[in-house]
Amino acid sequence: MNIKSQFPILETEVYGRRLVYLDNAATTQKPQRVIDTLANYYLHLNSNIHRGAHYLAAQATDQFEQTRLAVQQLINARSNKEVVFTRGTTESINLVASSFGRRFIKPGDEVIVSGLEHHSDIVPWQLAGATLRVIPFSDEGVLDLEAYKSLFTERTRIVAVNHVSNALGTINPIKSLIDIAHNHNVPILIDGAQGIGHIKVDVQALGCDFYCFSGHKMYGPMGVGVMYGREELLEELPPYQGGGEMIKDVAFERTTYNELPFKFEAGTPSVADVLGLKSAIEFMQEVGIDEIYRREDELLKYATERIREVEGVRIYGEAPHKAGVLSFLVGESHPYDVGTLLDKLGVAVRTGHHCTQPIMDRYGIPGTVRASFAVYNTREDVDAFIAALQRIAPMLL
Ligand code: C6P
């Protein structure tokens, strides 16, 4: 199967060179079928869902709910009531932190997060009024599980950790993290933004209470994400936002709420993007999630080996179990300079703190240059990236 040819944007030329797109942890590109689904929606289906008594509304509603079933199947959720559509991981975590927080977090209560979290799995818990207790990590980027066990107190209300670090690439041992939390009778949220597009996720086998992710990091559109929550817990939580769709009856004296998952889906959703997510899931399943992992793992190993040939390069994140993220610096140069020069040679990477300032503080650096892989990347992409780096590194040392 030719995977790359399904992504029209990868034919783009930048500064007269073939684009080498290695910024996949920021967002993946979209296959033609996802683009077609978006166009088809606005050409033939556009209508508001769950409300209209007309043909278009019925069709759009049906496809919207079919996507919920596709997500349920993808992550092996027990029920489709456990799949809540949001705008992305950020909104999914804010939903849980706000709603869970209102129900369970009092001033002085604690939330355990890891030192590897993205800001969107730190700030929402601070907004919820929690005191954060932080799982430390080693120089290689591996979480300290013994230290984790010692962080639980009688005030711990929830644990929130990511599946894969967007800055270092560490694949965290989430099954162990989940089991340890449950041994302490504490629920756990997994930020799956960098997990779901690369690794098989089975929420029942994992036993996690919440799993959050974004469509745009798994070949789907921007503007759609998922908050998976265990049904019993979701039943206990108050709604996040108020408005249309999330209610059963509204009166000025008292309002009752809709059943799951609609209780958490106030207002008109991004219907086209949700439908696009279904096409993205179909793409992933056609390639096979294990095959996606295998290809990216091979590329990561190849790129890691090759980048060591470049003088002055220091890698950040050398955990034994890593996803396709390669963070590095060149000598004492600023990551932004490296990124800008790579861009001029047609290579797209991300530079900066990657919304993980505590990680950068841990290493005492302002940021890194980050190359990140997706299933359509090839060894030729890695070769072009390394050749570009070989060219610019001597200018920066
Ligand atoms: N990381 C990156 O370049 P949103 O923006 O809501 O789709 O995802 C937020 C988010 C949450 N958790 C993790 C682990 C993430 O990596 C991200 C997004 C992008 O690394 C943009 S900062």
Side-chain angles (χ1 to χ4, degrees):
M1 184 193 319
N2 189 339
I3 293 176
K4 203 162 199 167
S5 65
Q6 298 182 45
F7 292 79
I9 203 170
L10 298 176
E11 284 157 30
T12 305
E13 285 205 347
V14 292
Y15 313 114
R17 292 166 187 272
R18 178 179 72 86
L19 168 69
V20 175
Y21 186 78
L22 298 179
D23 194 17
N24 295 288
T27 197
T28 54
Q29 298 302 347
K30 321 305 171 200
Q32 185 67 51
R33 72 170 82 189
V34 169
I35 299 165
D36 289 345
T37 299
L38 296 178
N40 184 61
Y41 173 77
Y42 287 112
L43 285 168
H44 302 297
L45 281 171
N46 182 45
S47 52
N48 211 325
I49 55 164
H50 295 138
R51 299 152 214 246
H54 57 83
Y55 178 85
L56 287 184
Q59 294 285 312
T61 302
D62 181 55
Q63 294 204 20
F64 188 89
E65 291 307 321
Q66 288 297 325
T67 307
R68 203 186 302 277
L69 295 175
V71 172
Q72 180 196 348
Q73 194 234 341
L74 176 75
I75 61 173
N76 192 31
R78 199 156 49 86
S79 157
N80 59 352
K81 293 182 185 172
E82 301 180 316
V83 175
V84 173
F85 288 117
T86 63
R87 283 190 302 125
T89 311
T90 302
E91 190 174 71
S92 296
I93 300 175
N94 274 277
L95 188 167
V96 178
S98 162
S99 176
F100 183 94
R102 255 186 300 143
R103 176 83 170 75
F104 294 113
I105 299 175
K106 307 273 170 299
D109 283 347
E110 295 168 3
V111 172
I112 298 178
V113 296
S114 91
L116 295 174
E117 295 318 300
H118 187 278
H119 297 165
S120 66
D121 198 28
I122 298 173
V123 184
W125 302 109
Q126 292 172 328
L127 291 172
T131 300
L132 299 187
R133 311 217 54 200
V134 184
I135 312 168
F137 62 91
S138 69
D139 288 347
E140 290 73 32
V142 177
L143 293 182
D144 181 340
L145 289 193
E146 287 311 309
Y148 170 50
K149 289 177 195 162
S150 72
L151 293 178
F152 287 86
T153 71
E154 74 286 352
R155 302 215 66 170
T156 309
R157 294 292 167 261
I158 190 167
V159 177
V161 290
N162 63 38
H163 191 168
V164 174
S165 158
N166 65 316
L168 304 182
T170 311
I171 301 177
N172 289 315
I174 54 171
K175 180 67 183 141
S176 304
L177 292 160
I178 291 165
D179 289 346
I180 293 166
H182 288 168
N183 287 341
H184 289 86
N185 284 322
V186 171
I188 178 164
L189 172 145
I190 305 295
D191 168 354
Q194 303 289 349
I196 189 88
H198 311 276
I199 306 170
K200 208 178 195 76
V201 172
D202 180 332
V203 291
Q204 289 192 74
L206 287 168
C208 61
D209 300 286
F210 301 100
Y211 192 97
C212 303
F213 56 95
S214 302
H216 72 97
K217 292 188 198 286
M218 50 181 289
Y219 311 102
M222 290 182 173
V224 55
V226 169
M227 188 279 288
Y228 157 82
R230 218 161 33 78
E231 188 175 347
E232 302 74 46
L233 250 174
L234 291 184
E235 290 289 4
E236 276 191 67
L237 299 186
Y240 171 49
Q241 294 178 324
E245 189 63 27
M246 51 73 70
I247 52 87
K248 194 179 277 161
D249 286 301
V250 176
F252 288 113
E253 298 72 30
R254 182 170 174 273
T255 290
T256 53
Y257 307 126
N258 205 341
E259 59 195 30
L260 291 174
F262 310 111
K263 180 172 92 173
F264 292 109
E265 291 181 355
T268 302
S270 191
V271 182
D273 299 322
V274 169
L275 270 47
L277 178 62
K278 179 158 179 282
S279 298
I281 292 172
E282 285 162 4
F283 163 76
M284 283 176 53
Q285 289 176 331
E286 215 170 276
V287 180
I289 317 271
D290 291 336
E291 176 64 9
I292 293 176
Y293 178 79
R294 193 192 64 73
R295 284 176 183 238
E296 292 176 2
D297 189 49
E298 202 177 290
L299 276 184
L300 174 73
K301 290 190 171 125
Y302 179 58
T304 307
E305 190 186 299
R306 295 251 16 234
I307 207 171
R308 292 191 204 283
E309 295 165 12
V310 185
E311 209 190 316
V313 165
R314 280 191 317 285
I315 298 175
Y316 288 86
E318 298 196 88
H321 202 199
K322 268 186 72 174
V325 169
L326 190 51
S327 259
F328 63 96
L329 285 176
V330 182
E332 298 309 311
S333 63
H334 197 278
Y336 184 74
D337 294 336
V338 182
T340 307
L341 290 169
L342 283 174
D343 174 54
K344 293 287 179 281
L345 295 171
V347 181
V349 294
R350 185 169 172 189
T351 65
H353 55 60
H354 315 299
C355 302
T356 57
Q357 283 185 359
I359 298 184
M360 303 305 142
D361 292 345
R362 160 78 172 70
Y363 290 115
I365 54 177
T368 68
V369 187
R370 183 188 68 184
S372 52
F373 305 105
V375 69
Y376 42 69
N377 287 125
T378 58
R379 282 168 88 92
E380 290 73 51
D381 290 341
V382 174
D383 290 340
F385 161 55
I386 299 296
L389 204 54
Q390 292 278 22
R391 224 175 116 184
I392 65 174
M395 302 179 207
L396 296 162
L397 292 173

